[in-house]
Amino acid sequence: MITCPHCQNKHINKNGKKSTGTQNYLCRNSTCGKQFQLIYKNQGANPIVKNYVQKALSRNCGIQDIKNIFNVSKPYILKTLTIYAKKIEIKPQKKYYESLQIDEFWTYVGNKNNKVWFLYAYSADNQEVVSYVFGDRSEVTVRKLYEKLSSENISVGTFYTDNWKAFKKVLPEKKHKIGKKYTKAIEGNNNYIRSRNRRTVRKTCGFSKKMENHEAAMKICIYCKNYNYC
Ligand SMILES: [Zn+2]
């Protein structure tokens, strides 16, 4: 009995042969209607493999590991990565945050001379990465994050940061508290991300070669963390 790997429907028609010579099938479920084969010469076309690759990306597996385990090509994995990242959206889960902690850490992108900073706002109450930006380690990047937060239609009671002077220049004084004792939760979260995602490990060799891939991988990482998918 043949079942459709997309929807598990058992009503299947034969549907010609692929250029590789393997039998092609068509699912007769009207809401699915997808084609598939029982044996895939090209593993990337196998919907079961595709699902596993996406899961592996959610768990921040390295591209090289995914390539070896699932026998798919690197361009295929990177394409899956960027398509997956485009489909998901990171939006604040609350309208009001009593407090947000802001901190940053750097990663390499492209080569080991290029550090890219990941600056983000974290809500310790519900362990949520509320918003983030990429940039250099300057006031400009802090402003970018603050403007992004302001555009999110949320209100924030207090911003907690460490003593870096760029925070002081950008965040409204009345709402800003400075001190390492206030940023323990976000520092814990930095460690969590660094331990989960090898792109963010210090001295790593597993960094992204392109900014687009880096942004996609970080988005998936944060999305899965926010929604407990990993
Ligand atoms: Zn189907």
Side-chain angles (χ1 to χ4, degrees):
M1 178 75 87
I2 299 168
T3 49
C4 169
H6 300 281
C7 74
Q8 278 71 51
N9 176 36
K10 290 181 170 48
H11 298 281
I12 306 298
N13 278 0
K14 281 189 177 177
N15 193 37
K17 292 209 168 162
K18 299 297 285 183
S19 57
T20 51
T22 47
Q23 180 65 51
N24 192 39
Y25 294 92
L26 178 71
C27 172
R28 285 174 57 202
N29 174 3
S30 58
T31 55
C32 173
K34 286 185 174 146
Q35 300 185 42
F36 63 92
Q37 297 118 57
L38 295 183
I39 303 157
Y40 282 89
K41 294 241 165 84
N42 167 13
Q43 283 308 311
N46 185 340
I48 294 167
V49 171
K50 196 170 197 165
N51 191 26
Y52 277 127
V53 169
Q54 199 160 308
K55 273 193 181 148
L57 289 168
S58 301
R59 296 195 62 87
N60 305 299
C61 293
I63 305 299
Q64 212 45 254
D65 291 337
I66 298 174
K67 183 173 176 269
N68 291 340
I69 294 167
F70 298 106
N71 192 24
V72 287
S73 73
K74 201 171 151 186
Y76 168 81
I77 302 164
L78 293 174
K79 196 176 151 205
T80 309
L81 175 83
T82 43
I83 290 172
Y84 181 14
K86 273 184 194 138
K87 276 195 285 195
I88 58 177
E89 223 185 332
I90 294 164
K91 282 272 154 206
Q93 294 172 13
K94 302 203 287 183
K95 284 272 166 232
Y96 174 71
Y97 293 88
E98 206 174 297
S99 69
L100 287 181
Q101 301 180 19
I102 298 177
D103 200 17
E104 76 289 322
F105 60 82
W106 57 263
T107 53
Y108 298 123
V109 178
N111 62 67
K112 287 210 170 181
N113 297 315
N114 186 35
K115 279 183 186 175
V116 172
W117 295 87
F118 179 81
L119 180 73
Y120 72 109
Y122 182 71
S123 166
D125 298 340
N126 60 334
Q127 302 185 333
E128 178 196 356
V129 175
V130 176
S131 200
Y132 64 85
V133 293
F134 297 95
D136 56 9
R137 195 168 194 259
S138 78
E139 193 189 318
V140 175
T141 309
V142 179
R143 200 165 294 284
K144 207 163 121 188
L145 179 68
Y146 184 65
E147 277 164 11
K148 198 174 167 198
L149 281 167
S150 306
S151 72
E152 294 280 22
N153 208 11
I154 56 169
S155 50
V156 180
T158 312
F159 294 102
Y160 291 116
T161 71
D162 62 20
N163 201 14
W164 182 32
K165 60 179 188 299
F167 288 133
K168 214 174 169 179
K169 284 185 183 161
V170 175
L171 298 171
E173 201 181 334
K174 277 185 192 161
K175 288 185 162 197
H176 185 198
K177 279 195 175 160
I178 298 168
K180 278 270 176 200
K181 64 181 174 198
Y182 300 125
T183 55
K184 288 212 161 66
I186 196 168
E187 276 160 30
N189 192 62
N190 292 348
N191 291 338
Y192 172 85
I193 294 172
R194 283 199 191 277
S195 68
R196 287 308 308 261
N197 190 326
R198 71 158 75 179
R199 285 179 174 78
T200 61
V201 173
R202 288 194 184 96
K203 295 182 182 172
T204 186
C205 290
F207 54 86
S208 300
K209 305 299 175 281
K210 275 169 67 185
M211 191 62 198
E212 186 196 6
N213 297 336
H214 182 68
E215 285 187 19
M218 290 302 291
K219 188 178 181 189
I220 293 167
C221 172
I222 298 306
Y223 180 79
C224 292
K225 198 233 169 279
N226 277 357
Y227 292 98
N228 287 321
Y229 289 161
C230 51

